[in-house]
Amino acid sequence: RVFDGVNDIMMGSIADRTRSKFGRFRPWLLWAGPLFCLCMALSFLIPSPNMTVRIIYACVMYIVVDVVFTAVDIPFWSLPAAMTRNIKERSAIIGSTQTTSNTITGIIGIVMPLALVAFGGAGSASAYFTLAAIVAVFAATMYLISFKLVKEHVVPEDSEKFSLKLGIKSVVTNRPLLLVQIANAVGLLAMIMRGTFNYYYCQYNLGSLEVMSVLSLLGTVVGIPGCLSFVALSKRVDKKKVIIFFSGLYIVACLVQYFAGWGNLILIYTCSTIASFAVAGFNVAVMAMMSDTIEYGEWKTGQRNEGMITSTRCFVTKLVMAVSGVVVAFIIGIFGYTPGAAQTAQTLSAFHTMMTLVCAGTMLLGTIPLFFYELSETRLAEIMEELKARKAGK
């Protein structure tokens, strides 16, 4: 996780300093996109009957796949800010892209188990590799189509050289970015904890992992309108108000579930669906607000750093994933969780409280930094005009 986070920041710096006839970020879709797809498929090969060789191969491929994926993922999510300076257009691009991503993820989750059976079953190594190869061909095709059709309209001056010092400054002195990422980190902690405890909650409190499958399906379905609702709302009000709305919706859903207990399955389905809807909108809002801080960083430092600023989201996500794993392990340990056995009333109560009240409280803490976020769309428009005047002056 530590290497992964540092790798994100490094790639952001590399993408920002890239200069080519294709732009700064599009070339990575052409170079790293297909390479990632190839490495991803190769990681499903079994190189030898020797277990030591297999483990070494798995470790090497894990790192290789991580590096090449970062090489395409950071530039890909940096593209919206390079495609247009229009705030509404950019929010729509991010929202529609995230909606498509969530849809494909849902399709993969439904189709993949059925496809495994069709290609030989979950016990067949060739079935996994065949499916990975099919996905790799599809993904490489999508990367190349995106490279062909997407254009970068916001580009730095040819004479402008990238400065790592200014790149770091555009992150650490970017107050709106720091506030968004603090809110994002705390909000993600609430979401990931809830998602992790969902396994224990369904198995022991509700007595069935089948419920978890239903909750996952509902979450996938409502994720699409959740993303699209951000696009619709952000056209009418500032994104700050939109993200606070989604945070509040998540908190209310968790609190209702907490006070209702775990005896009413329909209510649990309803609350989880509302929470998933809010999570989808929250995540798109974070990306859109983070994209707005790119111009603020350029205004502060004189250098545009889409890559480095975008990479902070990936860094925060991976950091929170690592922290949440430790938190969950600690909590289930101190409350006496025994794997595979009937849990005590205290343990069941702890699972319920963590899934609901604690996650609601954590998300509430995450909204506090947002009240100090002052980069309104009016202020951002003024900054863009000042940047335009600076360039005209040069």
Side-chain angles (χ1 to χ4, degrees):
R1 295 294 186 196
V2 173
F3 168 77
D4 207 3
V6 174
N7 185 36
D8 291 332
I9 303 297
M10 290 171 55
M11 187 60 224
S13 171
I14 293 171
D16 278 335
R17 72 175 70 223
T18 299
R19 299 290 186 271
S20 78
K21 63 180 180 180
F22 302 124
R24 288 177 294 161
F25 309 115
R26 286 178 62 231
W28 294 99
L29 272 64
L30 176 65
W31 305 331
L35 179 60
F36 157 65
C37 297
L38 175 63
C39 293
M40 182 277 291
L42 291 177
S43 69
F44 282 86
L45 282 176
I46 296 180
S48 167
N50 184 284
M51 185 54 70
T52 301
V53 174
R54 291 185 187 185
I55 292 172
I56 293 173
Y57 181 78
C59 291
V60 170
M61 291 307 297
Y62 181 87
I63 296 173
V64 169
V65 169
D66 176 72
V67 170
V68 291
F69 176 69
T70 300
V72 66
D73 190 53
I74 298 296
F76 179 83
W77 288 107
S78 300
L79 270 172
M83 291 167 65
T84 177
R85 285 189 184 272
N86 186 294
I87 303 170
K88 302 295 185 184
E89 284 184 351
R90 200 155 60 191
S91 294
I93 291 169
I94 293 171
S96 59
T97 305
Q98 188 65 42
T99 302
T100 306
S101 177
N102 289 350
T103 303
I104 292 293
T105 301
I107 292 173
I108 288 289
I110 295 170
V111 172
M112 198 60 67
L114 301 175
L116 273 176
V117 174
F119 282 103
S124 170
S126 62
Y128 284 95
F129 177 72
T130 301
L131 283 174
I134 292 172
V135 172
V137 171
F138 169 77
T141 302
M142 293 298 104
Y143 277 129
L144 294 176
I145 290 174
S146 184
F147 164 77
K148 179 68 176 177
L149 298 182
V150 170
K151 303 299 179 186
E152 295 183 32
H153 298 287
V154 183
V155 295
E157 300 292 334
D158 292 336
S159 59
E160 183 181 315
K161 292 184 179 180
F162 176 82
S163 166
L164 180 60
K165 182 179 179 180
L166 286 178
I168 295 173
K169 183 180 179 181
S170 72
V171 172
V172 299
T173 64
N174 195 324
R175 187 169 183 267
L177 173 65
L178 296 177
L179 290 171
V180 169
Q181 290 297 21
I182 292 171
N184 180 35
V186 181
L188 276 176
L189 182 60
M191 298 172 198
I192 295 174
M193 282 198 306
R194 183 176 171 87
T196 305
F197 273 105
N198 193 38
Y199 167 81
Y200 303 99
Y201 192 72
C202 291
Q203 183 172 3
Y204 297 106
N205 293 63
L206 305 181
S208 173
L209 284 179
E210 293 177 355
V211 174
M212 184 177 177
S213 299
V214 176
L215 292 175
S216 298
L217 178 60
L218 290 172
T220 301
V221 172
V222 299
I224 297 171
C227 294
L228 293 177
S229 65
F230 163 78
V231 178
L233 290 171
S234 63
K235 291 179 180 179
R236 294 169 174 80
V237 296
D238 274 354
K239 289 185 278 291
K240 171 182 173 178
K241 295 179 180 178
V242 178
I243 194 172
I244 291 175
F245 164 74
F246 284 120
S247 298
L249 195 61
Y250 180 92
I251 292 168
V252 169
C254 290
L255 289 177
V256 169
Q257 187 175 342
Y258 170 72
F259 287 109
W262 61 84
N264 189 330
L265 193 57
I266 298 299
L267 186 63
I268 290 173
Y269 283 144
T270 302
C271 291
S272 295
T273 300
I274 293 173
S276 297
F277 176 88
V279 164
F282 179 95
N283 288 333
V284 179
V286 165
M287 288 191 290
M289 292 175 73
M290 184 182 65
S291 182
D292 289 348
T293 67
I294 290 171
E295 277 80 18
Y296 182 88
E298 183 182 5
W299 175 69
K300 290 279 288 185
T301 65
Q303 178 174 276
R304 193 171 178 85
N305 296 281
E306 290 100 327
M308 289 196 70
I309 288 177
T310 301
S311 69
T312 61
R313 179 181 67 89
C314 299
F315 175 77
V316 166
T317 300
K318 290 163 184 176
L319 179 66
V320 173
M321 287 173 67
V323 171
S324 64
V326 175
V327 171
V328 171
F330 175 75
I331 294 297
I332 65 175
I334 63 173
F335 282 100
Y337 166 66
T338 305
Q343 307 302 318
T344 64
Q346 180 189 27
T347 305
L348 294 177
S349 180
F351 289 162
H352 180 69
T353 302
M354 291 299 300
M355 269 281 293
T356 56
L357 187 61
V358 173
C359 287
T362 304
M363 180 62 81
L364 182 61
L365 289 175
T367 63
I368 295 175
L370 296 172
F371 289 96
F372 299 93
Y373 180 88
E374 298 173 348
L375 188 60
S376 65
E377 294 192 2
T378 302
R379 178 59 183 141
L380 185 58
E382 294 172 353
I383 288 174
M384 287 183 172
E385 285 299 317
E386 188 171 331
L387 289 172
K388 186 178 179 180
R390 287 183 191 175
K391 291 182 183 295
K394 288 183 181 180

